[in-house]
Amino acid sequence: MAASPSVVPVALTTPGVPILSASGDFSNLREIKKQLLLIAGLTRERGLLHSSKWSAELAFSLPALPLVELQPPPPMTEEDAQDMDAYTLAKAYFDVKEYDRAAHFLHGCNSKKAYFLYMYSRYLSGEKKKDDETVDSLGPLEKGQVKNEALRELRVELSKKHQARELDGFGLYLYGVVLRKLDLVKEAIDVFVEATHVLPLHWGAWLELCNLITDKEMLKFLSLPDTWMKEFFLAHIYTELQLIEEALQKYQNLIDVGFSKSSYIVSQIAVAYHNIRDIDKALSIFNELRKQDPYRIENMDTFSNLLYVRSMKSELSYLAHNLCEIDKYRVETCCVIGNYYSLRSQHEKAALYFQRALKLNPRYLGAWTLMGHEYMEMKNTSAAIQAYRHAIEVNKRDYRAWYGLGQTYEILKMPFYCLYYYRRAHQLRPNDSRMLVALGECYEKLNQLVEAKKCYWRAYAVGDVEKMALVKLAKLHEQLTESEQAAQCYIKYIQDIYTCGEIVEHLEESTAFRYLAQYYFKCKLWDEASTCAQKCCAFNDTREEGKALLRQILQLRNQGETPSTEMPVKKV
């Protein structure tokens, strides 16, 4: 998807704002620090606090500048001076979330800064009213039932300014946000691309663009500015698109050029390892990050997910208490507490905290997905479906929500729905064995056994996390009376669990030994059959069968029955 023809060159001046054209390399870190400090101030003046915080944190990770190199504030224009009183008053109202009041006093202002704050106040007022309408429930199931009433008016006004080429980088960013909220995705992408050209240092525009890119092909067609900010964008979008190797390489490059002290980059690397389920590595990085930045709350819900997976109750309890002391009314804190109660199997309490998180921020993706999981645990499938669908509305790339919907419809015994949702999850995570095993099970229920076999084999080939794909494939071969292939799968399964080095209880181990003992027995391979039968005696569910088979083998040997010498299957 290409940028609109009206995209302007990178180095565009905005009245009252110095040229903010970030060069495409990292050769001059001092210049980059100056640019970061400048954009942190400009975004703060316009109420774009998350972008301001991002820039300030990144600037802090670079060496301090001497006094002589510090830049003075941007020069004021005549329009800025005329609007100064109204802007100062309105900004004070804006900061205490009195958006309508701020907009009222900014009406008629002509400076770029005051105009942006006027439009942004109106947008946030509409968002606040929309959130207030949905705050006491899970929210509407049908998309768009509750809308920001200000969006259409804002679009009309910003569109006129855009056509007249009167929008600066911040104005373009807001126009893009309005278009995205109205589901005009193609137009929004074009505008955000234009915003990155006009004001390449504004992280908010890059981040919004990132949220609209659904695959790598889409990324290739974007006409992005050649700026060092593009490297941060690419690293972020690769993480979002589950292209983890590429993302880690980008982040490593950023560390190598001088951003080694950036807590943002360290946290993103930890998230990347979480996404590929390298749990030990991710936990190690998060623990190190907590030492460097003990009051950090961002990404701590991801950290709690890792502690949950590892059933680290005491560590999760400590994290929950610690975040509660820092800020109990942050969405991440509520999600961490929810995970803590979920680990203790107190699912009603867990769901309550995820609901609290959503009251604080109805667009917080992680809370919708986690709440869906809790409703699944409580067997409330309709509420789980609603929560997962909300998660997908927030971010269509959330494979966990697609996978959760597949599981829900599996419980409801609706395999065709189930297949659709598992396919979507698999498209987002093509190398995740869990998605492939789920797809295989679905195909099996629909009696599409050839497809099921392909899924199970692929799950094994990409690295089976749960060590179940080979067993399921073996059982499928059994069902199709393909005894040789079934035996091969069971042998591979046994070899894998004995060589992985993990002490894990494998419930299907006895099944594998029982089948192999019977298979070798039919093939008259007494030694192999005897070895497998002895292994069966170690498990409660196969002990009697193992003993019976050993007696039969002994009886046949005493009768002088000769063992077979032709055996295509590799021995255990």
Side-chain angles (χ1 to χ4, degrees):
M1 198 169 290
S4 59
S6 61
V7 167
V8 288
V10 178
L12 183 92
T13 54
T14 295
V17 176
I19 295 177
L20 292 175
S21 58
S23 62
D25 61 54
F26 294 93
S27 57
N28 191 344
L29 286 180
R30 287 190 169 199
E31 191 56 40
I32 287 173
K33 173 135 185 169
K34 289 177 191 175
Q35 292 171 350
L36 285 167
L37 291 172
L38 179 59
I39 195 68
L42 293 173
T43 46
R44 187 169 59 251
E45 287 175 353
R46 288 159 178 80
L48 299 166
L49 301 182
H50 288 289
S51 291
S52 179
K53 185 173 82 165
W54 185 88
S55 304
E57 283 183 346
L58 207 58
F60 182 76
S61 70
L62 296 173
L65 293 171
L67 179 61
V68 291
E69 289 191 34
L70 289 173
Q71 286 188 319
M76 288 181 69
T77 64
E78 186 62 37
E79 288 177 334
D80 285 327
Q82 287 173 2
D83 295 340
M84 178 53 73
D85 288 349
Y87 166 79
T88 305
L89 177 64
K91 184 63 168 61
Y93 292 146
F94 181 94
D95 289 343
V96 292
K97 296 184 170 57
E98 295 183 10
Y99 302 123
D100 288 329
R101 205 173 176 193
H104 173 74
F105 284 96
L106 286 166
H107 185 68
C109 288
N110 296 315
S111 66
K112 297 283 185 183
K113 184 165 66 175
Y115 178 74
F116 174 84
L117 197 63
Y118 168 63
M119 299 300 277
Y120 193 42
S121 296
R122 289 170 62 191
Y123 165 76
L124 288 179
S125 171
E127 286 294 291
K128 189 172 183 293
K129 286 166 187 169
K130 183 187 80 169
D131 290 346
D132 288 345
E133 283 187 48
T134 58
V135 80
D136 292 323
S137 66
L138 275 178
L141 185 58
E142 298 82 13
K143 189 171 184 180
Q145 192 174 331
V146 179
K147 283 195 171 179
N148 180 343
E149 297 297 331
L151 290 176
R152 296 194 184 282
E153 284 181 25
L154 290 171
R155 184 199 170 195
V156 170
E157 292 177 43
L158 288 166
S159 176
K160 287 176 185 172
K161 289 269 187 182
H162 184 231
Q163 286 167 5
R165 296 172 62 82
E166 291 176 5
L167 290 179
D168 63 359
F170 293 112
L172 287 166
Y173 159 76
L174 182 57
Y175 184 34
V177 169
V178 169
L179 291 171
R180 177 179 65 77
K181 286 281 184 178
L182 291 167
D183 292 323
L184 301 167
V185 176
K186 185 183 181 301
E187 294 91 328
I189 289 173
D190 290 344
V191 171
F192 284 130
V193 168
E194 188 177 348
T196 61
H197 279 266
V198 174
L199 192 62
L201 290 170
H202 179 210
W203 178 241
W206 293 100
L207 208 53
E208 285 287 347
L209 185 59
C210 179
N211 292 334
L212 297 175
I213 307 303
T214 52
D215 54 53
K216 201 173 181 180
E217 285 302 308
M218 207 169 166
L219 188 61
K220 285 179 186 174
F221 291 103
L222 293 181
S223 171
L224 298 171
D226 183 22
T227 156
W228 58 265
M229 285 286 286
K230 183 181 173 183
E231 295 303 302
F232 283 91
F233 165 75
L234 290 174
H236 191 93
I237 189 69
Y238 287 155
T239 307
E240 290 291 305
L241 295 175
Q242 307 297 328
L243 302 166
I244 304 301
E245 282 185 28
E246 292 96 322
L248 288 172
Q249 186 57 57
K250 286 282 181 190
Y251 283 127
Q252 189 56 52
N253 293 344
L254 290 169
I255 285 171
D256 292 342
V257 297
F259 290 96
S260 58
K261 293 181 181 176
S262 167
S263 58
Y264 163 76
I265 292 176
V266 173
S267 67
Q268 285 296 105
I269 291 171
V271 169
Y273 280 117
H274 163 269
N275 288 356
I276 53 170
R277 296 182 70 80
D278 190 338
I279 296 170
D280 291 332
K281 188 82 174 169
L283 280 171
S284 170
I285 296 170
F286 270 124
N287 281 320
E288 193 57 40
L289 182 63
R290 292 263 296 157
K291 287 176 189 172
Q292 292 173 14
D293 193 356
Y295 294 95
R296 182 187 181 88
I297 294 181
E298 289 96 335
N299 304 119
M300 287 302 112
D301 50 337
T302 305
F303 183 33
S304 76
N305 291 343
L306 295 162
L307 296 173
Y308 178 92
V309 169
R310 279 290 157 89
S311 299
M312 298 168 78
K313 278 188 186 176
S314 58
E315 290 86 347
L316 188 49
S317 172
Y318 175 77
L319 180 65
H321 281 96
N322 184 237
L323 294 184
C324 238
E325 287 173 5
I326 297 167
D327 188 350
K328 65 163 74 173
Y329 298 112
R330 277 281 289 269
V331 282
E332 294 92 341
T333 303
C334 292
C335 287
V336 171
I337 297 169
N339 271 339
Y340 170 67
Y341 281 120
S342 182
L343 189 56
R344 295 182 60 180
S345 299
Q346 293 177 254
H347 300 297
E348 290 84 359
K349 269 193 174 181
L352 179 68
Y353 274 95
F354 295 135
Q355 283 176 340
R356 282 186 188 178
L358 291 164
K359 284 182 180 181
L360 292 166
N361 182 358
R363 292 172 295 280
Y364 195 71
L365 172 66
W368 283 118
T369 308
L370 292 168
M371 191 158 67
H373 296 342
E374 293 312 306
Y375 283 130
M376 284 282 283
E377 292 287 349
M378 292 189 279
K379 306 288 186 284
N380 187 346
T381 49
S382 61
I385 288 169
Q386 192 176 8
Y388 288 136
R389 284 185 177 164
H390 269 291
I392 289 163
E393 279 183 23
V394 175
N395 184 356
K396 287 184 170 60
R397 294 192 303 258
D398 182 27
Y399 75 92
R400 296 169 304 167
W402 291 109
Y403 183 67
L405 280 169
Q407 287 180 309
T408 312
Y409 282 107
E410 195 171 351
I411 290 167
L412 294 171
K413 296 188 174 13
M414 299 170 76
F416 286 104
Y417 280 86
C418 180
L419 183 64
Y420 169 76
Y421 292 117
Y422 281 145
R423 274 178 178 162
R424 292 296 298 262
H426 170 58
Q427 285 166 6
L428 293 164
R429 298 271 288 190
N431 293 323
D432 192 322
S433 62
R434 294 167 302 161
M435 313 298 136
L436 286 157
V437 168
L439 261 180
E441 288 172 341
C442 215
Y443 280 125
E444 214 174 322
K445 283 171 187 166
L446 293 167
N447 211 33
Q448 297 181 32
L449 302 184
V450 175
E451 292 299 321
K453 282 198 283 188
K454 285 179 188 173
C455 289
Y456 291 142
W457 182 252
R458 173 79 179 144
Y460 169 70
V462 298
D464 186 14
V465 174
E466 293 167 336
K467 303 274 186 261
M468 287 302 295
L470 281 174
V471 174
K472 290 185 180 294
L473 185 57
K475 287 180 178 177
L476 206 53
H477 284 305
E478 268 189 77
Q479 195 181 324
L480 297 167
T481 63
E482 297 167 356
S483 55
E484 189 182 319
Q485 290 95 319
Q488 287 279 15
C489 288
Y490 279 128
I491 288 168
K492 279 195 182 80
Y493 170 70
I494 294 292
Q495 287 170 340
D496 279 1
I497 64 173
Y498 276 96
T499 56
C500 71
E502 291 182 42
I503 303 168
V504 182
E505 186 184 348
H506 293 279
L507 302 174
E508 299 291 345
E509 203 176 330
S510 58
T511 309
F513 280 123
R514 176 170 53 194
Y515 181 85
L516 288 171
Q518 291 168 350
Y519 175 77
Y520 287 133
F521 182 79
K522 285 174 189 170
C523 295
K524 298 184 180 181
L525 286 161
W526 311 134
D527 290 343
E528 289 80 1
S530 181
T531 302
C532 291
Q534 284 168 356
K535 292 280 189 185
C536 287
C537 294
F539 303 96
N540 292 331
D541 57 332
T542 55
R543 184 171 292 133
E544 294 308 315
E545 288 176 73
K547 286 178 180 176
L549 201 58
L550 283 170
R551 284 195 293 271
Q552 281 182 274
I553 293 166
L554 184 61
Q555 191 180 348
L556 288 167
R557 276 178 164 164
N558 290 339
Q559 289 172 4
E561 186 88 36
T562 55
S564 171
T565 54
E566 294 180 13
M567 184 56 207
V569 176
K570 187 177 165 186
K571 295 177 186 178
V572 180

